[in-house]
Amino acid sequence: THGDKARSAPSLVWWSVTLAAVVIAALAGWSVPRESDQTFIPDANGLAAGGRLAKALDERISAEGSKEGGVLVSLSFRAGDGRYCRTFSLDTGIDGLACRNGRTWQVESIGRPPQDAQAGPYREASSELSPSVIAALSRWQAGNALTPEEERRVRDNDWQ
């Protein structure tokens, strides 16, 4: 009867097409780049900046003093090895130094400034940095801080 046919098991063709669709969907999903919300992402070289930190390091001009997304970028300079580096402060009380490494920001140092240096969740660029960030600055900084015009030019050239 007609009703019995509707209840029969799906054919081999139906199962084959369904399996192929599932495999294609899974492969497509794995290859789609995903935006990370993590501030620090472990990688082969230690830590890379991610999420809100990477966005701020990519886009901000330090002289503007923006604290959007809980990130303040306070200083930019060219390191002795030619990379561009930037200091940052997070609203969580962590500061750090990150240098551009290809398409990512490699975190060279992070720390917590002394309690008396913090005047709230953010500090000005001239305030005291954590000892680990000061040590990293002295290791990497080869010249003067970039001017806002230099920052804009380098930013617009993807920090190259």
Side-chain angles (χ1 to χ4, degrees):
T1 66
H2 195 277
D4 291 338
K5 194 170 190 176
R7 289 189 203 110
S8 66
S11 69
L12 182 59
V13 172
W14 184 89
W15 282 111
S16 299
V17 169
T18 302
L19 179 60
V22 168
V23 168
I24 290 169
L27 290 175
W30 286 325
S31 66
V32 173
R34 290 175 174 83
E35 185 74 23
S36 173
D37 291 339
Q38 291 181 296
T39 304
F40 301 107
I41 301 170
D43 71 3
N45 298 316
L47 288 177
R52 64 188 179 131
L53 176 58
K55 181 176 172 51
L57 292 170
D58 279 342
E59 299 174 359
R60 301 259 175 88
I61 301 302
S62 58
E64 294 169 354
S66 173
K67 298 172 184 171
E68 182 181 333
V71 180
L72 172 66
V73 178
S74 54
L75 173 72
S76 301
F77 62 91
R78 188 154 194 177
D81 63 3
R83 297 182 301 163
Y84 287 98
C85 300
R86 309 191 83 190
T87 60
F88 60 87
S89 299
L90 303 176
D91 58 0
T92 58
I94 294 174
D95 66 354
L97 172 70
C99 297
R100 188 68 172 200
N101 191 10
R103 307 273 313 149
T104 62
W105 289 97
Q106 192 67 43
V107 178
E108 299 295 340
S109 178
I110 56 174
R112 284 196 182 272
Q115 291 295 5
D116 59 348
Q118 289 186 332
Y122 303 98
R123 296 171 324 283
E124 297 304 318
S126 61
S127 70
E128 190 174 340
L129 295 169
S130 65
S132 60
V133 173
I134 292 171
L137 270 172
S138 64
R139 176 178 177 206
W140 292 110
Q141 190 168 9
N144 294 328
L146 298 178
T147 65
E149 294 76 27
E150 290 170 327
E151 275 187 313
R152 282 185 188 86
R153 180 182 49 77
V154 175
R155 177 196 64 191
D156 294 346
N157 196 31
D158 202 24
W159 296 96
Q160 302 298 315

